[in-house]
Amino acid sequence: MLTIAICDDDKSQTNYLKNMLREWNNQIIITEYNSAEQFLFSYPDKHCDLLLLDIEMGNMNGMELARNLRAKGDMLPIIFITGYSEFMQDGYDVEALHYLLKPVDKNKLFAVLDRYADRHKAYRRVILPVGDESVCVNSDDIVYLEAFGKKTQVTLWDGKEVICTCGLSTTAEKLGKDFVPCHRSYIVNIGYISSISKTEVTMDSGKKIPVSRRLYDSVNRAFIAYYKENRE
């Protein structure tokens, strides 16, 4: 079940979007925020799969909120809602899922939501062995994996680390196609790479991870293909 947040300081706009979301799927959970500050105060403790975000708001506008999230390495999917097309380039800069002009056209919103839902279905929650326990993790929250002997350190988007009591290859088998080996000790989630060179990849968080000469071509191809697919 999806949880979709609406962040807008205009109550009538929030109700307008909420009614369309209910028409699209009456099983989703909808949360409402009347300011960027209110959203940041609640998130990530209060779960959110997708954010419909107004740009023109009070002290902190929607674009500042998006930049705040991206600076932390948080790739929460965002659909910007605004009355001004000049903000569109800024939306690309923070890797927004889409950009819709007010008044929002229902068919356009539904098309974006349908594409998002299809991609969301591909996200898999994986069970990782951690000591004597099992931990459930959304594979899309994993930034990279690092081998430590017979164990694997799994680093999540929020900086948390999970030490799995199984090897790197065994852990990687549980994950999807967006995870690629870049070094014998590392596997990275392509979605969190900001740049790649012959010797290292730089993650959105600024973390640099080595790339072996043997694996550079495959990582680079995967990186280009991923962003071409998602930009389209």
Side-chain angles (χ1 to χ4, degrees), residues 72-110:
K72 298 174 182 177
D74 190 328
M75 299 308 294
L76 173 68
I78 296 172
I79 298 175
F80 279 118
I81 311 291
T82 183
Y84 302 95
S85 59
E86 58 263 32
F87 289 113
M88 190 172 293
Q89 182 56 52
D90 291 332
Y92 290 134
D93 291 343
V94 294
E95 299 182 50
L97 183 65
H98 208 80
Y99 185 105
L100 294 173
L101 288 173
K102 297 178 182 179
V104 175
D105 180 87
K106 180 175 71 173
N107 293 326
K108 290 182 179 179
L109 175 62
F110 284 9

Side-chain angles (χ1 to χ4, degrees), residues 6 8 10-23 30 32 52 81 101-107 109-110:
I6 302 171
D8 197 312
D10 184 340
K11 184 63 176 178
S12 63
Q13 175 71 13
T14 298
N15 290 335
Y16 177 67
L17 291 172
K18 186 164 60 174
N19 289 335
M20 284 196 289
L21 289 176
R22 290 294 187 206
E23 184 177 344
I30 300 174
E32 303 173 35
L52 303 188
I81 311 291
L101 288 173
K102 297 178 182 179
V104 175
D105 180 87
K106 180 175 71 173
N107 293 326
L109 175 62
F110 284 9

Side-chain angles (χ1 to χ4, degrees), residues 1-5 29 31 33 39 42-50 76 116 120 125 138 141:
M1 183 177 292
L2 290 175
T3 298
I4 299 179
I29 298 170
T31 55
Y33 302 90
F39 178 84
S42 298
Y43 181 83
D45 293 329
K46 193 169 184 179
H47 179 70
C48 176
D49 292 304
L50 174 67
L76 173 68
Y116 168 76
H120 190 270
R125 296 186 70 81
N138 189 330
D141 289 342

